[in-house]
Amino acid sequence: MSDALEKTNLTFDALGVSSETDVSALFDALLRSAEEEMASAKMGEELESFRVRWLGRNNSVKSRVQENWLKRAAPDAKKWVGASFNACFRKLEEDFAVHKVKPAVTGTSDCMDLSLPGVVRPIGTRHLIRQTYDEIERIFLSLGYTVVEGPEIETPYYNFEALNIPEHHPARDNMDTFYLESAPGYLLRTHTSPMQIRTMEKQKPPVRIVVPGKVYRRDNPDATHSFMFHQLEGLAVDEDITFCDFKGTIEYFVREFFGASTKTRFRPSYFPFTEPSAEFDASCVFCGGKGCRTCKQSGWIELFGAGMVNPAVYGFVGYDAKKLNGFAFGIGVDRLAMLKYGLGDIQVLFQNDARFLRQFP
Ligand code: FA5
């Protein structure tokens, strides 16, 4: 019998180990003995008695080590003993799970026991944000749009200037920006609108695209704000697009996404890259429009900014502003998920709490 195995009957004091390295060596020796014994056990009963002896509930090596070493270790040694204990027995349990389904490992004619239950692997689900994107993209794909993606690290030219937001323009203040210290001249995009420019630079009209992606702003987290959030940009440019197409597309999308009964409204707004501009709100599902913490007492939740493409933008991409018209929109995807799934606080989307995520398989 190995030295380490014999010691499992002793208390921690009696082991005579005095450092983290000694403890770790002791557990290594113990694991080696277990692995040797497991390798020589035959499938079936022998393997089961190995399991009971090493990993069983009562008077197994594991329970003795827990009782004698872990519980009786001095307070300052408990941290290393606990870490080595967990590592050693986790490894042994994993190896045992694999070993017991290996055919003929013992060199005998014993083979796999097909009546044993299989190893159940937990299956993940798509995150609620991914599900929301899939639903939005499905609606726009059905209208003939294509999905394109672009970089999260951008230059001020694409994020601002080519969108008709020159330096010192007050609109830059609304999007408090993360500039990259390690890469001067670059920033984390504050919206997905730079992809309007990147797409029009590469593609001749007509254009019909949607752009899903993460965006970043120095916003303080609250029920409807996060410093990293998700947008979906839309852009349609052609020779005969009118404001009616714009309004009809947005209203169609909202009806498909939320159902016909959701109350919505357009508000006049301002974006340098659209003219005229609008913001689109939905009535707050939490208070039925009366006013609450989530909607900041307004009764409405802002879902996206939009408008007809400002002809000045066409000048940056070599499009003929006299011939072309178009509209663009930037949807706040987290806010959409919030309303659709009744989330009182946007932060639950970023906390990775499996209990929350499992509710949306
Ligand atoms: C924009 O970002 C414009 N690029 C949208 C646009 C595109 C307008 C194309 C015209 C044409 P705005 O800053 O309003 O606009 O953000 C758009 C949406 O993102 C908001 O309506 C809101 O739903 C969401 N949003 C904004 N800031 C945050 C935040 N900190 N956390 C979560 N969602 C946010």
Side-chain angles (χ1 to χ4, degrees):
M1 190 191 287
S2 86
D3 193 30
L5 192 50
E6 274 174 41
K7 286 182 176 166
T8 58
N9 288 319
L10 305 179
T11 62
F12 187 73
D13 282 350
L15 290 177
V17 290
S18 54
S19 72
E20 191 172 350
T21 323
D22 290 347
V23 167
S24 160
L26 191 61
F27 274 97
D28 283 349
L30 195 62
L31 183 61
R32 265 197 311 279
S33 317
E35 303 271 1
E36 276 164 24
E37 200 173 315
M38 182 164 67
S40 62
K42 288 200 184 116
M43 287 290 155
E45 271 175 32
E46 267 190 42
L47 208 52
E48 176 55 13
S49 48
F50 166 84
R51 188 194 65 74
V52 172
R53 185 167 123 71
W54 280 88
L55 301 168
R57 273 206 193 158
N58 300 317
N59 201 28
S60 64
V61 176
K62 183 177 175 184
S63 65
R64 283 205 309 274
V65 169
Q66 188 167 21
E67 209 43 55
N68 295 340
W69 296 2
L70 185 57
K71 286 199 184 153
R72 302 197 191 174
D76 53 345
K78 245 188 188 122
K79 205 168 127 199
W80 348 304
V81 181
S84 290
F85 173 83
N86 288 337
C88 169
F89 285 99
R90 192 176 307 128
K91 172 93 174 71
L92 184 57
E93 274 162 14
E94 281 168 8
D95 289 350
F96 179 74
V98 173
H99 185 85
K100 76 179 175 191
V101 292
K102 265 196 211 159
V105 240
T106 57
T108 70
S109 60
D110 290 313
C111 59
M112 195 189 315
D113 179 353
L114 294 177
S115 66
L116 284 174
V119 179
V120 179
R121 307 247 173 251
I123 298 175
T125 57
R126 284 171 310 147
H127 192 279
L128 194 53
I129 285 292
R130 185 65 255 161
Q131 295 186 35
T132 310
Y133 267 131
D134 288 349
E135 175 62 6
I136 305 173
E137 287 169 19
R138 184 191 64 73
I139 298 169
F140 282 105
L141 286 171
S142 76
L143 291 173
Y145 286 69
T146 34
V147 179
V148 296
E149 291 188 28
E152 288 174 29
I153 294 178
E154 266 298 1
T155 60
Y157 176 77
Y158 285 106
N159 199 77
F160 295 122
E161 271 124 59
L163 288 163
N164 199 29
I165 318 177
E167 216 175 343
H168 309 303
H169 191 289
R172 287 205 188 189
D173 297 347
N174 296 340
M175 296 187 188
D176 210 350
T177 309
F178 289 107
Y179 289 92
L180 296 181
E181 266 175 31
S182 53
Y186 289 92
L187 47 80
L188 294 179
R189 66 178 174 191
T190 56
H191 51 174
T192 39
S193 300
M195 278 307 288
Q196 291 187 29
I197 305 299
R198 288 185 180 277
T199 306
M200 288 191 282
E201 273 181 349
K202 277 202 267 164
Q203 185 183 326
K204 290 208 173 82
V207 172
R208 270 183 189 71
I209 52 153
V210 286
V211 187
K214 292 187 180 129
V215 303
Y216 303 83
R217 292 184 199 175
R218 288 175 184 271
D219 281 346
N220 288 328
D222 65 18
T224 53
H225 289 83
S226 169
F227 48 82
M228 185 285 288
F229 58 101
H230 302 84
Q231 285 192 341
L232 180 122
E233 191 79 7
L235 174 69
V237 180
D238 207 339
E239 289 191 359
D240 48 6
I241 290 187
T242 66
F243 194 84
C244 287
D245 297 312
F246 162 57
K247 213 164 164 244
T249 304
I250 301 287
E251 280 170 358
Y252 173 79
F253 163 71
V254 171
R255 259 200 324 276
E256 282 286 298
F257 188 81
F258 286 113
S261 59
T262 310
K263 272 209 286 180
T264 53
R265 69 173 185 189
F266 274 100
R267 264 183 303 117
S269 184
Y270 172 73
F271 297 100
F273 38 100
T274 46
E275 180 55 40
S277 301
E279 270 169 322
F280 193 80
D281 303 335
S283 60
C284 178
V285 290
F286 303 101
C287 59
K290 289 199 195 90
C292 66
R293 180 183 88 96
T294 305
C295 62
K296 301 213 174 77
Q297 312 306 330
S298 71
W300 296 94
I301 294 186
E302 178 198 317
L303 297 182
F304 50 95
M308 301 302 287
V309 177
N310 188 331
V313 171
Y314 296 136
F316 287 92
V317 295
Y319 274 19
D320 185 347
K322 289 206 185 81
K323 280 201 193 142
L324 295 166
N325 286 303
F327 61 82
F329 50 88
I331 302 180
V333 173
D334 315 83
R335 302 254 182 105
L336 239 58
M338 193 178 175
L339 283 193
K340 178 151 176 148
Y341 298 101
L343 316 176
D345 192 324
I346 210 171
Q347 303 304 328
V348 291
L349 293 167
F350 308 112
Q351 287 160 347
N352 278 339
D353 184 336
R355 289 167 305 177
F356 164 74
L357 295 171
R358 266 194 224 111
Q359 295 174 60
F360 305 96

